[in-house]
Amino acid sequence: MAKQAFSRLGRWCSRMFAVECDPSSDPVYFALTKTPQTRQCSERQAFEKIFRKAKSFSLHVCTEDKIQRAKFYEDIKNNTIPGVSRGCSVFDVFSFHPDVKNSALRGFLVRGVADIQETGLFDELVRNPGLNVCTYVLEEDTEHWWQHLWSKAEDGRMVVVEKYCLVPAEKPEHHPSTLNIINSDVFYKFGDACKVLRECTKFIPESKELLELVDQGLPLKREGRFPVIVIEGLDATGKTTLTRSLTDTLNATLLQSPPQCLSPWRPRFDSEPALLRRAFYALGNYITAGQIDRASAHAPVIVDRYWHSTAAYGIATAVSGRVDNLPGPGSEVYRWPVDLLQPDLVLLLTVSPEERIRRLRFRGAEKTREEAELEANDRFRSKVEQAYKRIEDPACVVVDASPPPDQVLQQVLLLIKNKCHL
Ligand SMILES: Nc1ncnc2c1ncn2[C@@H]1O[C@H](COP(=O)(O)OP(=O)(O)OP(=O)(O)O)[C@@H](O)[C@H]1O
Ligand SMILES: Nc1ccn([C@H]2C[C@H](O)[C@@H](COP(=O)(O)O)O2)c(=O)n1
């Protein structure tokens, strides 16, 4: 057996597979076993749903280095998969150890690809040490589905190095997309976000300048006397409108996260994989924290987005499928970073989905969205909103932002008066 294949197998054995064929329902879960078991009739449905007796193969990105893995996954998703999947169905797949943090590897299952094994591309994929390539084979007489893991033999031929029987399995407690959130989608320490940006200076030179911008001595406890109020919410819920009027009314300083000084770099990081994008926004919060510390010595401070946004969007984007796939209330993913300056009050502006769409349309966005995209966005919207509401210490106070702007302002001024004695 090829040497390379041994190290692949070390990570592969005892893993479970989750195939996401429909974002509105649970993935189909499989355990991998060496010993086939008697098949129950109902279990056939799981296989029928995924494989439909069509030739299928899967790719899992298993590169050890986290940054390389994130970039390689995007490359496979955007370049390789569209190239090989014309006329096929493509599903997101997770390979993971049930409920074990940081164990999830993301990949794709392509169904209906007739001759992939005959192509040069297949050889190329199998040869790539950062990929686990599997084909799926139905044993007609027993009706067992087998997963074949491929590798390159010493003589250069492509060979199947392991075979596992797929057995439908129970849903684990935690959805596999939640397992890698900490330090990949949300950062809870300044040093952890910096580490990612430091490691990517080779291919994003801007990260070096960004790191130089961050205050070395992070303010954890504020010196200032004046209250700090953060306004949060989905886009078009009225944050800009409210933060401006609050700033005028309270003679406050208006800040935002990410801060203005990061604007030139934002589009660059927005086009990077989640790991780098989230590290960028995390650092933005620490820069804003420095500004809050200085400004709150002189006047009240209003902040347009801060940590809640970074965490809520990070979590909602990472977690696939339905809202109930989110980590439950009280999960450690909703905790405040240990070293980030805390505001006195966080207000979450909410409006109904219909009103939000009306405001977005009024602004000229969203005009061309298809129905399906609207539905997908609705799932995303609910996940962001739920994540916002689950973040703790400080938790946000929910404000109904559907009344006219001056009424929202009065309502918020009252809250600030009561909570911050302003
Ligand atoms: N209370 C309100 N009632 C009706 N319309 C409002 C209200 N507040 C804001 N709007 C309008 O809704 C639109 C979005 O408002 P705004 O830009 O303040 O939202 P936002 O949360 O800052 O959005 P984004 O996060 O995308 O910048 C604007 O056209 C604004 O005039
Ligand atoms: N503190 C912040 C602010 C913003 N983000 C991310 C989350 C969204 O992807 C996007 C929303 O910002 P907007 O378009 O309203 O300027 O930016 C974040 O992660 N952290």
Side-chain angles (χ1 to χ4, degrees):
M1 194 190 295
K3 199 172 159 203
Q4 182 191 58
F6 277 116
S7 63
R8 285 181 179 188
L9 292 178
R11 291 194 293 267
W12 211 238
C13 301
S14 79
R15 282 181 166 268
M16 261 177 84
F17 257 61
V19 185
E20 296 207 291
C21 30
D22 171 7
S24 63
S25 54
D26 281 334
V28 179
Y29 291 101
F30 296 109
L32 303 176
T33 163
K34 288 278 186 188
T35 45
Q37 292 155 19
T38 316
R39 177 79 18 85
Q40 308 228 325
C41 229
S42 58
E43 291 181 352
R44 285 207 189 100
Q45 289 168 358
F47 295 101
E48 184 52 27
K49 205 167 171 184
I50 307 298
F51 297 110
R52 304 235 172 104
K53 294 199 174 182
K55 283 202 172 174
S56 306
F57 80 102
S58 65
L59 295 178
H60 271 93
V61 179
C62 55
T63 313
E64 205 76 56
D65 179 85
K66 222 159 62 167
I67 297 177
Q68 302 290 347
R69 189 161 76 220
K71 286 194 88 68
F72 191 26
Y73 173 83
E74 291 296 314
D75 181 42
I76 293 286
K77 179 180 172 179
N78 299 325
N79 301 316
T80 308
I81 294 295
V84 292
S85 64
R86 246 167 258 124
C88 305
S89 308
V90 180
F91 304 126
D92 288 324
V93 200
F94 293 92
S95 157
F96 63 102
H97 294 293
D99 304 325
V100 176
K101 269 189 244 168
N102 276 316
S103 71
L105 297 174
R106 280 176 182 264
F108 304 92
L109 186 127
V110 183
R111 180 182 70 203
V113 54
D115 301 317
I116 185 78
Q117 279 161 253
E118 321 304 325
T119 64
L121 177 66
F122 187 75
D123 284 15
E124 206 181 294
L125 295 172
V126 173
R127 258 179 240 283
N128 194 318
L131 281 177
N132 270 357
V133 182
C134 298
T135 51
Y136 295 83
V137 178
L138 173 65
E139 200 173 69
E140 294 279 355
D141 50 343
T142 59
E143 292 199 10
H144 288 130
W145 276 93
W146 289 84
Q147 183 192 63
H148 290 182
L149 176 64
W150 290 77
S151 191
K152 190 182 73 135
E154 268 150 19
D155 62 5
R157 281 179 311 117
M158 301 303 131
V159 290
V160 174
V161 285
E162 271 306 328
K163 294 179 182 180
Y164 294 99
C165 189
L166 294 171
V167 180
E170 290 291 309
K171 162 180 170 176
E173 187 183 342
H174 301 284
H175 190 278
S177 65
T178 65
L179 297 176
N180 295 17
I181 288 177
I182 295 173
N183 282 342
S184 288
D185 299 292
V186 188
F187 295 90
Y188 299 84
K189 260 192 239 150
F190 174 70
D192 292 336
C194 281
K195 187 164 175 271
V196 169
L197 291 170
R198 232 178 274 123
E199 284 170 12
C200 73
T201 49
K202 285 164 265 160
F203 51 93
I204 311 182
E206 293 92 333
S207 338
K208 195 157 177 275
E209 294 169 63
L210 179 62
L211 286 163
E212 281 162 10
L213 263 181
V214 191
D215 287 353
Q216 287 311 306
L218 291 172
L220 187 54
K221 281 236 168 341
R222 248 180 318 120
E223 298 301 321
R225 294 174 291 119
F226 291 92
V228 176
I229 299 126
V230 173
I231 307 297
E232 293 282 11
L234 286 153
D235 49 345
T237 48
K239 295 182 300 300
T240 309
T241 309
L242 178 67
T243 50
R244 283 188 185 146
S245 57
L246 270 179
T247 305
D248 288 346
T249 314
L250 297 175
N251 257 331
T253 304
L254 177 58
L255 296 173
Q256 66 187 60
S257 176
Q260 280 289 345
C261 60
L262 296 193
S263 301
W265 296 310
R266 196 172 173 187
R268 172 70 210 258
F269 281 93
D270 275 343
S271 68
E272 291 294 335
L275 175 68
L276 309 182
R277 207 163 68 234
R278 300 303 167 200
F280 168 82
Y281 284 105
L283 234 63
N285 286 327
Y286 287 97
I287 296 174
T288 299
Q291 298 175 343
I292 293 175
D293 182 46
R294 290 184 287 276
S296 62
H298 309 289
V301 178
I302 307 297
V303 193
D304 187 342
R305 291 197 191 271
Y306 191 44
W307 159 258
H308 276 69
S309 280
T310 311
Y313 279 85
I315 293 167
T317 312
V319 175
S320 52
R322 295 190 312 228
V323 178
D324 53 12
N325 293 341
L326 284 173
S331 158
E332 58 182 339
V333 304
Y334 302 118
R335 69 180 193 266
W336 189 267
V338 288
D339 52 5
L340 182 67
L341 189 144
Q342 290 189 342
D344 296 287
L345 183 60
V346 182
L347 300 174
L348 174 68
L349 305 189
T350 58
V351 295
S352 68
E354 296 75 25
E355 171 62 8
R356 195 173 141 258
I357 286 174
R358 195 192 63 76
R359 291 184 190 180
L360 284 165
R361 287 217 167 107
F362 183 73
R363 275 203 320 203
E366 310 283 302
K367 275 183 203 149
T368 57
R369 286 198 316 178
E370 303 286 342
E371 217 44 48
E373 200 192 333
L374 265 177
E375 195 196 291
N377 280 347
D378 195 48
R379 237 187 328 265
F380 179 66
R381 179 197 59 75
S382 310
K383 281 189 280 191
V384 178
E385 212 166 273
Q386 272 309 313
Y388 265 132
K389 289 178 182 170
R390 290 179 189 183
I391 293 169
E392 293 171 346
D393 296 325
C396 52
V397 177
V398 178
V399 172
D400 175 9
S402 26
D406 54 331
Q407 284 183 32
V408 177
L409 174 66
Q410 292 313 318
Q411 190 188 331
V412 165
L413 284 171
L414 200 62
L415 270 171
I416 294 175
K417 195 172 159 211
N418 289 339
K419 304 254 179 194
C420 305
H421 312 293
L422 245 188

